[in-house]
Each structure stands twice: as structure tokens, then as C-alpha cells.
Amino acid sequence: MTMAHLLEADHISKYYGNIVALNDISTYVDAGEVTCILGDNGAGKSSFIKILSGVHQADKGRLLVEGEEVHFTSPRDARAAGIATVYQDLAMVPLMSIWRNFFLGAEPRKGFGPLQWFDSGKAKSIVRRELSEMGIDIRDPDQAVGTLSGGERQSVAIARAVYFGARVLILDEPTSALGVKQAGVVLKYILQARERGVAVIFITHNPHHAYPVGDRFVILNRGQSLGAFEKSEIDRQELVRLMAGGKELAELEHELEAIKVEV
Amino acid sequence: MAETAAPKVAPDERLVRVGPLAGLLTRPDIGAFLGAVAVFFAFGYFARSVNWIGDPGIAAGWTDQAAQYGIVAVPVALLMIGGEFDLSAGVMIGSSGLLLGYLTTFKHMNVWPAMVLVLVFGLVIGLINGLTVVRTRLPSFIVTLATFFVLQGVNAAGTLKLTGQTAIQDIDTARGFNSARRIFAGDLTHYGFKVKVLWWIGITLTGAWLLAKTRFGNWIYSAGGEPNAARNVGVPVARTKIALFMMTSTIASLMGIIEALELRSMQAKEGIGLEFIFIICAVVGGCLLTGGFGSVIGTLFGAAMLGMVQLGIIDAQWDSNWTFTFQGGILFAAVMLNTLIRSRAQKAR
Ligand SMILES: Nc1ncnc2c1ncn2[C@@H]1O[C@H](COP(=O)(O)OP(=O)(O)OP(=O)(O)O)[C@@H](O)[C@H]1O
Ligand SMILES: [Mg+2]
């Protein structure tokens, strides 16, 4: 028996009615490590991280934090355990301002006794600082999130999770709407979080984003695990090939060639 | 400005300088404010024969009416921002006043402990509404419509059975009546302004503070705006909504107490129809029917507007049947104006 992992999923299965979204998935992440979860659309990546972050409960299998089995009944429990998530749909309220969204569910308060209020001054200055560190310089923290560009919105969600993810940071396709520079910043963030001793779970379907930052790669396909690899066990080409399912990729390249010729 | 470590400082070149007026025009409550001012001056003209603008006694009249609407409109607005409706808020005034009448005149209770029981009754009805909505996921419109009809029947049948009439009388014979009336339904010393008006302003300011400045306020916005997102970041959405339902029916109970003490009797059909007035106040005040957006201060102006219309039509010596038409017109105009302001607030920033 080795040391207990910081966060471990043990033989997790998840069903939506008669749909098998996940079948017997196990992985783990330790402090100062990045576990990447890769897979095609509908592979079950988001379902998996929703179990880790308390949105859904697993139908089979166990969730362990530092070796202790935990039962997250709501995202609040996961957040209390130091697990913060950037959801694929970002979990932002469009009509609310940036600073209200940033601290939603974890509002800083001041006051005395039962008379407590939301410290909005502190909230706004933290938001400004965290976002400018990310290279996103917001015009006005009072701007409604619904009016931000897709990438800006994603950046706010990432900055929020980085700020609150004390122990585990989960990112569900955080780079999908980002420009090259911002995507680079996010990858840098993942590495910085790892340096700080945060455990990171990074979901993507881009192996070129995953490979440089990951320590471990779990490949999902139609709810099944195609295998879990330590970085030392796999190289970039192999990862790309596995993800796309070798033969299919070759076919795809062939088709693309054909299109090019026509044009 | 000093808090940013980044090189960027001070005015952002992408921010167009907005004058104070343009900035003001993006607030959700500005439409209601302008509307209230317009209605005030309109009756200043049409009801000039009674000195509408200058006579404090006239103002005492319409603020009394506005408080009647505005007190319960505050939690109704918060509930609406939280994404739900309470159609039982009107009938609860009647139920609560009748309950107070029953406890004091039939059970011979002192008014003060009876009031506590009535408020507990409000909390319980709110809890039932809230739990039902949250558990069944039925629209609150339907759930509270059912509560409304159930209570309406109870009020009418119960009163008839107890008294053989359609009202409970003689509440002023109860012990503690005078001291309670002074605090809840008395007159202020000048011009016949009612204490009720202070309750209205106090509850409005509390509601506005709650919404803008507290964690609970943040949860209200998110519960109405995007409940799924809110839940995913750890907001207890169900609890927030239940708390809002409980606030609404408890404040409706408070209103029932105020009316029973003021009128010294309670009609079985009291409060019915007011549920829509409260919603009109909230919508005029800038609350979005779909939740997630609105203003408590705006709701105060909405209530003021409806109060002025109610009394202004009488003071202008028009047929008071036009009141409903005016209320409808105000609702329509306000919704149009608010839509305009909201789209500015969202786009122009
Ligand atoms: N709430 C739900 N009810 C029923 N089926 C669901 C639900 N959520 C997801 N599914 C199904 O489960 C499967 C896995 O979905 P999931 O969102 O986890 O995929 P994903 O790997 O995140 O895909 P993508 O790359 O497109 O984000 C899909 O087939 C999806 O249709
Ligand atoms: Mg997904």
C-alpha cells in the first residue's frame, strides 16, 4: 500500500437513466501534479469531473480525499474541501456583474455578529488584480458577465477557480474559446498552480495542450477508459494517435487532402 | 486604482466616458422613479382643486395607500428576482388578519402573543410554498395559485362559521390592542401620516440593503438568473428560494396584522386581488418576470405610483373605475421603458 493520493476516483460508474456515461473509471491526482483527461465529444469527460466536483454523485465506485472516502452531496461540499472547478458551461450568471459572479457562493464578508455584509470593495479589487494577472484587463468589474466576449468570460471563470482552488483545480476544456496568447496563459497557470503544490485535473481534447503540462494522461472513449499513462510511458505522437484512434486519423488526413485538392 | 500591480492604470481607453445622466439611465429603478415623478405632477395639475402638490394631508392619503401596496411588494420583488412568484401574498393578508381576530376575540388572547402566532403562521405557509416549489419543481405560479385558492376558501368558510357574517369584528376589545395599534397602525403626529409609511420605508431600505450588500442578495440574483450555475458554484439555491417564500408570506402576515389593528375588524375577502398589485409594483420597479434582475427601490416608486393613481383619481373627481385602466397602462408603459433601459444597461456598457 502506497501513500494515499490527494484526490482519487476509484472504479467510478455513472448512468443517466439507461445511458452509461462512465464505466469503471479510476484515476488520481497528487499535490503538485497535473492529471489530464482526454477524449472525444461525448466521451464522458464532463460527467467525470462533475462527480469530482459534487454536481453529480457516482452510481458505483468511491471518491477519496487523502485516502478517506468522501460523499459530496453538492458542489458546496467539494468547494469546502478546497476543490474548485471551471465547468465547461462556465457556471456564470449572465445578468450579474463580474465581481458578483467571481465570488458567487464564497462571498467575502465583513461586519459584526449576525450583521454581516458582502465586502464589495474587497471583491472588486481582488477581481481586478486576479484578472490583470491573467492578462485580461477588464474595463469595469461592474460589467454584466453576459456582455463579455466568450474568451473573457472563460478567463473570469478560470481566474475564479484558480483563486478558490486551494488544493485541487479542475478545468473542463478551459482553452476552447481562448486566443493563442490566453490559451498560453492558461497553460502557464496550470504549471504555476502545480508549482504551488495544487493538484490539477485538466480536461481537453487537444493533446498538444495536454502533453506539455500533464504528468498523467487518462484517455476516455464512450465512457470507457482506454488506459492511463504516466508521462514517461507515452510520447506525444502516441498520445495523439490514441486519442484519435490511429486508423481513423489517417483516414481523416486522407479526406482532408482530398478536400484540399478540390479547392 | 492603487491595488493593481499591472502596468495598466487609470481610465481605460475602451471606456467611453459616460456623463452622470447617461450612467443613471442604465439603472433598473430609474424608470419607476421618473414615472412616479410624472404621475405626481400629472395629478398636481388634474387635482389642483384639492392642492395635490402642496397639501401634506393629501400626501398622507396617497402614502398610506402606497404603503398598503409597497410593504408586501418588497419581498414579492425579491422573490421575483429570485425567479419565483407568490400569488398567495394577497390572500395571506386576509388569512393573517382573520387569524389575529380569531385569536384575540374568540380565544381572548392578548394582541402581542397573538401577533407572534400570526407571524409564525406566515413562516409556515411560506415554508410550505417554498418546499413544494423546490421539491416538486412545479412552477411557483401554479403552486401558490393553489395556496391562494385554498386559503381563500378557508377565509370565507371559516369566518362565516365563526361569526355567521363575512367579517370578524371588535378586535379593539382585545388586551394589548392600543399599544400594538400605536406601533403598527397609528398616526404620526403631523398631518395624519400613518406609521405604516415608516414600516414601508424601513422594509424597503432593509430589502434594498439585503439585495445589494449581502451574501444572501448575491444568492437571490443568482437563483433567479441561472440557478444551475449558482448551484454548481456552491450557492444553496433551494434554501435561498425557500427563505424568500417565507419572507414573502411573513411580511404579508405583518400586513394583515397592520390592517386588522387599523380597521379593528377584518373582512373575509381582504387582500384578494392585491397579489397582482404587488407584482405590478415589482415589475414597474424594474424586476424581470424571468428573474435575476430588478430593484427594491424601484419597487418603492412603483408602489408610490399606484398609491398616487388610486387617490389621485378620486381627488381629480374622475370615475374611480378608471383606476384599473390606469394600473394596466402604467404596467404596460413601465415594462416598455424597463426593457429599453435594460437593453441599454447590457449593451451600452
Ligand atoms: N444530464 C444528462 N442526461 C442524460 N445524458 C447525459 C447527461 N449529461 C451527459 N449525458 C450523456 O453522457 C455522455 C457523456 O457526456 P459528457 O458531457 O460527459 O461528455 P464530454 O466528454 O464532456 O463531451 P464534450 O467533449 O463534448 O464536452 C454523452 O453521451 C451525453 O449525451
Ligand atoms: Mg464536456
Side-chain angles (χ1 to χ4, degrees):
Chain A
M1 180 71 203
T2 50
M3 224 185 71
H5 298 295
L6 178 48
L7 177 64
E8 181 171 2
D10 182 31
H11 300 287
I12 297 275
S13 295
K14 174 75 194 167
Y15 315 112
Y16 297 112
N18 60 354
I19 300 169
V20 182
L22 293 169
N23 186 15
D24 199 21
I25 308 295
S26 297
T27 189
Y28 65 89
V29 66
D30 276 320
E33 279 190 355
V34 179
T35 293
C36 293
I37 298 176
L38 298 104
D40 269 338
N41 295 124
K45 306 182 293 297
S46 299
S47 303
F48 184 63
I49 66 97
K50 280 183 178 160
I51 290 169
L52 302 184
S53 47
V55 176
H56 294 325
Q57 282 73 47
D59 292 306
K60 278 188 197 156
R62 300 184 307 158
L63 217 54
L64 304 110
V65 173
E66 287 176 334
E68 299 274 331
E69 185 167 357
V70 290
H71 295 277
F72 294 151
T73 53
S74 82
R76 213 174 169 72
D77 296 344
R79 222 170 168 179
I83 300 174
T85 306
V86 180
Y87 297 95
Q88 194 167 10
D89 65 11
L90 304 181
M92 304 260 246
V93 185
L95 283 169
M96 288 171 76
S97 64
I98 297 172
W99 65 273
R100 280 186 180 278
N101 263 291
F102 195 96
F103 286 98
L104 190 56
E107 294 80 359
R109 291 191 295 167
K110 63 180 179 189
F112 20 83
L115 199 63
Q116 297 268 338
W117 58 91
F118 188 173
D119 190 348
S120 57
K122 185 173 162 194
K124 286 182 200 180
S125 73
I126 291 174
V127 165
R128 211 177 256 286
R129 189 187 66 218
E130 294 297 310
L131 286 173
S132 73
E133 274 177 17
M134 231 181 123
I136 296 290
D137 132 62
I138 48 165
R139 281 153 282 207
D140 175 6
D142 272 313
Q143 186 174 355
V145 157
T147 63
L148 292 174
S149 81
E152 285 172 334
R153 208 173 312 157
Q154 204 162 45
S155 304
V156 174
I158 293 165
R160 174 171 73 179
V162 167
Y163 184 76
F164 287 106
R167 296 211 291 174
V168 182
L169 177 61
I170 301 175
L171 304 124
D172 192 354
E173 307 205 15
T175 50
S176 61
L178 297 184
V180 177
K181 185 171 142 217
Q182 272 78 17
V185 171
V186 170
L187 297 181
K188 195 182 86 197
Y189 257 56
I190 292 173
L191 293 174
Q192 278 175 358
R194 185 174 70 172
E195 292 294 299
R196 284 202 312 270
V198 174
V200 181
I201 295 178
F202 177 32
I203 289 127
T204 177
H205 42 213
N206 187 339
H208 301 291
H209 282 162
Y211 196 76
V213 298
D215 295 299
R216 182 175 308 102
F217 306 93
V218 179
I219 298 161
L220 295 185
N221 187 25
R222 301 162 68 106
Q224 312 275 347
S225 173
L226 287 188
F229 306 89
E230 296 296 319
K231 195 165 195 167
S232 56
E233 299 168 353
I234 191 167
D235 64 14
R236 188 189 292 241
Q237 274 79 34
E238 179 66 8
L239 190 65
V240 173
R241 202 188 58 78
L242 262 176
M243 246 212 82
K247 200 174 94 221
E248 290 163 34
L249 188 69
E251 270 172 26
L252 187 66
E253 264 171 23
H254 194 72
E255 279 171 28
L256 285 175
E257 281 302 314
I259 293 169
K260 254 189 229 160
V261 171
E262 277 172 34
V263 173
Chain B
M1 296 296 142
E3 74 271 10
T4 34
K8 265 267 164 54
V9 233
D12 192 308
E13 80 284 0
R14 295 161 303 174
L15 267 184
V16 180
R17 273 179 174 280
V18 286
L21 189 68
L24 211 62
L25 280 176
T26 59
R27 291 182 55 100
D29 38 26
I30 198 69
F33 173 72
L34 295 176
V37 170
V39 170
F40 179 74
F41 284 106
F43 283 113
Y45 175 74
F46 291 117
R48 58 191 178 284
S49 60
V50 298
N51 191 12
W52 172 270
I53 291 180
D55 183 357
I58 294 282
W62 68 255
T63 50
D64 177 30
Q65 189 63 49
Q68 176 90 6
Y69 300 153
I71 289 175
V72 188
V74 170
V76 166
L78 292 178
L79 183 66
M80 217 156 135
I81 296 168
E84 305 292 345
F85 292 101
D86 186 355
L87 293 184
S88 67
V91 77
M92 269 301 284
I93 295 175
S95 300
S96 304
L98 291 168
L99 181 61
L100 186 75
Y102 170 72
L103 292 174
T104 52
T105 60
F106 286 81
K107 293 285 160 192
H108 306 293
M109 274 179 80
N110 186 300
V111 171
W112 290 95
M115 278 186 337
V116 173
L117 286 185
V118 172
L119 293 176
V120 170
F121 167 70
L123 287 171
V124 170
I125 296 292
L127 183 66
I128 294 173
N129 278 341
L131 275 178
T132 313
V133 168
V134 166
R135 288 276 162 81
T136 63
R137 292 167 194 249
L138 289 168
S140 51
F141 198 89
I142 299 301
V143 171
T144 58
L145 187 64
T147 314
F148 172 17
F149 273 66
V150 168
L151 288 176
Q152 185 177 4
V154 171
N155 290 1
T159 309
L160 190 65
K161 191 164 168 57
L162 278 176
T163 65
Q165 294 173 323
T166 56
I168 294 182
Q169 310 280 354
D170 302 326
I171 297 174
D172 52 354
T173 57
R175 276 171 298 129
F177 176 83
N178 287 324
S179 56
R181 189 174 200 270
R182 215 168 304 133
I183 291 179
F184 290 96
D187 287 352
L188 292 169
T189 44
H190 292 296
Y191 308 115
F193 276 98
K194 289 286 199 316
V195 177
K196 204 199 285 178
V197 176
L198 292 185
W199 279 95
W200 172 37
I201 293 168
I203 288 174
T204 300
L205 292 179
T206 310
W209 178 77
L210 213 58
L211 185 64
K213 300 284 183 210
T214 69
R215 179 172 78 174
F216 185 59
N218 220 31
W219 292 356
I220 295 174
Y221 278 123
S222 68
E226 195 72 59
N228 230 350
R231 212 171 287 119
N232 285 357
V233 293
V235 174
V237 173
R239 264 201 288 144
T240 302
K241 291 195 171 186
I242 292 171
L244 287 170
F245 277 109
M246 291 174 76
M247 270 170 60
T248 306
S249 37
T250 307
I251 291 184
S253 289
L254 174 68
M255 194 63 219
I257 291 170
I258 291 175
E259 284 197 16
L261 293 173
E262 183 175 300
L263 306 170
R264 298 159 200 270
S265 69
M266 202 69 189
Q267 297 286 330
K269 61 174 179 20
E270 193 65 41
I272 290 166
L274 286 181
E275 59 283 338
F276 286 116
I277 299 281
F278 303 145
I279 291 174
I280 293 179
C281 292
V283 171
V284 170
C287 296
L288 209 55
L289 279 170
T290 45
F293 193 82
S295 158
V296 176
I297 299 290
T299 304
L300 174 128
F301 292 123
M305 219 188 290
L306 293 192
M308 283 191 273
V309 167
Q310 188 90 30
L311 278 130
I313 284 179
I314 297 168
D315 288 339
Q317 287 165 3
W318 297 341
D319 178 354
S320 65
N321 287 315
W322 289 110
T323 310
F324 292 113
T325 309
F326 264 81
Q327 288 169 344
I330 285 174
L331 178 63
F332 190 67
V335 172
M336 303 291 281
L337 190 63
N338 286 338
T339 311
L340 199 80
I341 288 169
R342 203 177 45 258
S343 66
R344 280 181 61 116
Q346 280 160 28
K347 264 188 258 149
R349 280 223 192 165

